[in-house]
Amino acid sequence: MPEQGRETGADPGAVSRRALRPVGLAAVADPGMDRFARLVSRLLRVPVALVSLVEEDRQILPGMIGLPEPWAGERALPLSHSLCRYVVESGRPLIVPHAQADDRLRGSPAIRDLGVIAYVGLPLTDADGLVLGSLCGMDHQPRAWDPGELADLKDLAAACSAELRLRILSAQHSSARKVLETARAAAEHARSDAERLEQEAQVGLDHAELLLKASEELAQTSGLEDVRQRLRDLFGGVGKPSYVGLLVADREELHRVPGPGEADGVEPEILTLPADATSPSARALRERRTVFVPDRDALVAGYGPETVAFFDGMGLTTILCLPLWGRRTLLGVLAICWTKRHRVSIPERAALTAASGYVAQAVERALYLDERISVARQLQAAMLTDLPLADGMEISALYQAAADDNMVGGDWYDAYHLPPAASGGPAALVVTVGDIIGHDMHAATVMGQLRSMLRQATLDHPPYSPATALSALEAACSVLPIVAGGTLVHARLDPVDGSPDWTLTWSNAGHPPPLLRAPDGRVTPLEQHDVLLHQALGPAHRTEHRRALPSGSTLLLYTDGLIERRGHDLDAAIAQVSALLARHGGEPLPDLLHRISSRLADGAPEDDIVLLALRIP
C-alpha cells in the first residue's frame, strides 16, 4: 500500500503529554486553523479537510471543513474514528489512496461513519519535534494523490506547525508574566516592612524590577540587535555593571553581537571567539556553566596572558559569564563585567541568572524569527515568475522586499507567451503587475491563486482580451471561496507584421498608471483605469485600451510600494518616476530598474516593490 509511516503501538503517556502542551486550542472552531483547513480543501480539491490535534482519549478539530453532524458541531472525534493517530504514533505522513484496501484501516469506523475512502495526513509538530496532530485531507472515493499537491500540502503543514509553535511561545510568555507579577507584589510588600529591613527590601525590589523589566522589555524585541540594544539599560539597577556583552553560539564559535556606542574601544576587534579559547565566555560555553572571575588576580591565575591583556585593555576587573539556555540547546553567553572589583552576592547572582533566562528567551525568539523570515523570503522568491525570452523585445523585472520583512506579501509580476501565431512570427506576450491587499502569508497565498487563475482565464478566452480575462477572474472569485482584493494591470503585447513595432492592449483594475517612454524620450502615463478588484464592489465592467509601441519605446509597470510614502504626494511621486524614466530610459533595463528603485525607495521601502520594464529595440 502506498503509505508513508509505520504502525506502532500508541503510547498513552506520550499522547497525554501532547494533550497537555500549551497550544491554546480546544474542541471549538479557531479562525486561523479553519483557514488552514480551507486551504487544504482547495489545494487538494477534497470535500473534507482537518487540522487535528490528538488528546489522551480523543482528537479535537480546531480547523475543520466538510465533516457531517454531529462531528462538525462537536469539533471532536473518538480515537476509534481517528486516522490522524497513525500520523501521531509514527511521526510520519500517512498517504492512503483506498482505505478499504488497507488491511489496517478497512475496519475503521471512519469509513462507515465519515465516508473516508482516500486520506492524506502530514504531521504537525512543536519546536521540540513532538507530533501534536496532523493536517489532513479526505476524499469519499479512491484517489491517487498527486506529488505536486503533496509537496504543497507539506508547505502548508510547515506553516501550520509554525503557527502552533508561536501559540505555545505565547502561552509560555503569559505564564511567565504571571510569575513576574507575583514577584513584583512580593517585592512591594517587602518594601513596606520595618525600617530595619529597608535596605534588604530595596535590594529585593531591585531584583524584582530587573525581572519585570526583563520580561517587559525583552518580550518586545524583534531581532538580535534589538536585544543587544536593550541590555545596557536593563542591568543598570542591579550591581550597575560597566559592560554587558551578548555572544551567540554558532557551532564551535561565539559571535559577539555589537551594541550601540561600542566604537569607544569596548571589544572593537573581537567579533568571533572560538569555543576552545582561553576566556571566561568560551569556558562558560564549553563547560555549560556559570563562570565567575572575582578580580584580576583570579583572571591571571586561571587564564592566559592574552586573555588578561584583553580585559586589561577594556579596563574590566570582575567578570560574570552566564550561559543562555534555550529549550533544546545552549544559545550563547551573557557577559556582565565591572571595572572595579564587585562582590556578587547570592541574591544578586540569582537575579542575574533569572534575568539571563529572559535574555535567552529573547535570543531564541530572535533566532527563530530570523529563520522564519529567511524561509518566508525564500518562499517569496520561489513564487516570482521566470521571465520568458521574447524575440524583438527586451524584458526585465525587479522585486524589492519591504523594510518590515516579517512576512511575504501580495505584490507580483507575471509574463508569458501566448500560443504562436499561424504565420509563424513572434508570439504575443502577456504581462501582469499586481498587488493583493495585505502583507502576510494569506496575501501571498491569494496572490498565487489569482496569478494562476488569471493565466487560465487569459488562455481560455481567445483572442486573449485582457478585459475579458479580468472579467472571467472576477466571475470565478465570486463563486469560489476566495476573498481577494487588490489592483493590477493586465496587458497583451502583439508584434506588428513586417515591422519591429508592437501593439499594447491593456486593462487596469485600479492600479497606478503604467508609464510609456517614446523613442524621443517623452514619458506618458497611461491613466485609463477601472475600479480595483474586490468582491464588495460586485462585478465591474472591464475596459481595455490600445497603444502603438514603435521601435525604441519603453514600458514601465510598477506597484504602489514604489510611490506611496507617508507625507508624500502620489502625483509628485509618479512625476518623479516619469522624470527618471525620461532621463535614464536608454540604460540597460536592469540598471534602469535599480536606479528607479533606489532613488524612489530612499532606503528600505515601507512596502514591497515590483518593477517590470519592456523595451522595443
Side-chain angles (χ1 to χ4, degrees), residues 170-195:
S170 177
Q172 290 173 340
H173 172 70
S174 177
S175 177
R177 178 174 291 276
K178 292 179 181 178
V179 173
L180 291 173
E181 289 174 352
T182 302
R184 179 169 59 178
E188 292 291 341
H189 177 72
R191 188 172 59 178
S192 65
D193 282 346
E195 290 185 1

Side-chain angles (χ1 to χ4, degrees), residues 105-454:
L105 303 180
R106 60 163 55 101
S108 172
I111 299 176
R112 181 186 66 247
D113 297 339
L114 305 180
V116 178
I117 300 300
Y119 173 91
V120 59
L122 270 68
L124 298 176
T125 61
D126 66 6
D128 299 322
L130 185 68
V131 181
L132 305 174
S134 72
L135 183 67
C136 56
M138 305 175 186
D139 209 337
H140 299 320
Q141 57 188 2
R143 176 166 179 176
W145 300 101
D146 180 74
E149 293 175 338
L150 296 179
D152 291 339
L153 181 61
K154 181 180 179 182
D155 291 340
L156 276 180
C160 189
S161 293
E163 174 67 18
L164 292 175
R165 293 168 190 168
L166 287 175
R167 295 191 183 205
I168 290 172
L169 284 175
S170 177
Q172 290 173 340
H173 172 70
S174 177
S175 177
R177 178 174 291 276
K178 292 179 181 178
V179 173
L180 291 173
E181 289 174 352
T182 302
R184 179 169 59 178
E188 292 291 341
H189 177 72
R191 188 172 59 178
S192 65
D193 282 346
E195 290 185 1
R196 64 183 181 87
L197 299 177
E198 182 178 354
Q199 183 176 1
E200 290 82 353
Q202 185 61 49
V203 172
L205 179 61
D206 287 344
H207 294 164
E209 290 286 347
L210 169 64
L211 297 182
L212 178 62
K213 190 174 181 181
S215 70
E216 292 177 342
E217 291 288 325
L218 297 177
Q220 303 174 23
T221 56
S222 58
L224 286 176
E225 292 183 0
D226 192 15
V227 174
R228 178 64 184 85
Q229 186 170 359
R230 296 172 188 256
L231 288 182
R232 176 175 293 180
D233 295 334
L234 181 63
F235 290 93
V238 178
K240 295 183 177 157
S242 307
Y243 171 73
V244 179
L246 176 62
L247 300 98
V248 176
D250 181 15
R251 297 182 179 87
E252 298 301 319
E253 295 180 333
L254 277 172
H255 297 281
R256 183 178 66 87
V257 180
E262 288 192 5
D264 55 2
V266 180
E267 298 189 65
E269 74 282 7
I270 300 298
L271 293 177
T272 301
L273 193 64
D276 59 357
T278 58
S279 75
S281 299
R283 176 173 290 181
L285 175 71
R286 192 167 54 248
E287 299 180 4
R288 298 174 174 264
R289 65 177 181 86
T290 299
V291 173
F292 179 57
V293 182
D295 51 34
R296 189 179 186 279
D297 291 340
L299 187 67
V300 172
Y303 301 89
E306 184 176 336
T307 299
V308 174
F310 174 73
F311 281 99
D312 283 347
M314 294 201 305
L316 301 175
T317 300
T318 299
I319 304 154
L320 178 66
C321 294
L322 300 165
L324 299 175
W325 284 100
R327 286 171 296 167
R328 291 182 294 175
T329 188
L330 186 59
L331 303 173
V333 175
L334 183 68
I336 304 174
C337 309
W338 293 264
T339 54
K340 296 181 180 180
R341 193 180 191 281
H342 179 74
R343 177 182 173 273
V344 181
S345 65
I346 293 177
E348 181 180 349
R349 182 163 174 168
L352 294 175
T353 301
S356 72
Y358 291 106
V359 176
Q361 290 180 10
V363 169
E364 188 168 41
R365 182 172 60 254
L367 294 174
Y368 171 75
L369 289 175
D370 287 346
E371 180 182 3
R372 181 166 173 258
I373 290 170
S374 175
V375 170
R377 285 305 169 202
Q378 292 177 37
L379 173 61
Q380 180 77 70
M383 296 178 74
L384 297 177
T385 300
D386 292 331
L387 295 177
L389 297 176
D391 294 336
M393 173 88 66
E394 298 177 20
I395 182 170
S396 182
L398 181 148
Y399 173 83
Q400 186 174 357
D404 181 10
D405 53 358
N406 197 31
M407 262 294 178
V408 294
D411 291 36
W412 92 94
Y413 61 84
D414 201 2
Y416 51 93
H417 287 296
L418 291 174
S423 62
L429 185 70
V430 174
V431 296
T432 311
V433 167
D435 181 9
I436 296 302
I437 296 171
H439 191 261
D440 52 22
M441 190 67 73
H442 175 69
T445 302
V446 173
M447 176 269 283
Q449 291 174 319
L450 291 192
R451 181 180 63 177
S452 299
M453 291 170 64
L454 184 56

